[in-house]
Amino acid sequence: MNQAFAPLLAAMLSVAPAASAQTEAAGGLRHDPFDWSALQRLSEAASAGTPPAGAIKPAPAPRLRAVMHGPSGASADLGGVILGIGDSAGGYRLLEVREYSAVFAQGGAKIELEVGESPKQ
């Protein structure tokens, strides 16, 4: 073995236990990549047609909170995200802003929402 390589290898090997101890002290792994039980539960639930316990629920549809008209153009507040014409958020693309409503494209369909209204799911 090369004499310059031996001290480097020894230093690397001495750091590994310290790094492992820090990981354990910080709470360890959050997800075990070798745990197949979670995947198996998802597979069984999918074949049974029921969502598994703790499954991620779809996000609620965004609500049109406001429409704004100004010198720089029209915009809409969709669920807290300000959109200009052509901008997208949550799968909805703003096409047109009217006096108390806005027209969005979503999945090839046009949807008009009034202020305070959520899209129908």
Side-chain angles (χ1 to χ4, degrees), residues 45-86:
S47 64
T50 58
I56 298 174
K57 297 176 183 166
R63 177 182 219 117
L64 183 62
R65 294 169 53 177
V67 292
M68 297 153 278
H69 300 273
S72 62
S75 57
D77 180 343
L78 184 66
V81 179
I82 306 297
L83 302 173
I85 302 295

Side-chain angles (χ1 to χ4, degrees), residues 18-29:
S20 176
Q22 288 176 349
T23 302
E24 290 174 11
L29 294 174

Side-chain angles (χ1 to χ4, degrees), residues 76-99:
D77 180 343
L78 184 66
V81 179
I82 306 297
L83 302 173
I85 302 295
D87 292 342
S88 297
Y92 296 89
R93 187 169 51 93
L94 182 61
L95 300 176
E96 180 183 352
V97 177
R98 298 181 178 162
E99 190 172 352

Side-chain angles (χ1 to χ4, degrees), residues 29 31-39:
L29 294 174
H31 171 72
D32 183 0
F34 301 104
D35 179 18
W36 286 76
S37 61
L39 182 60

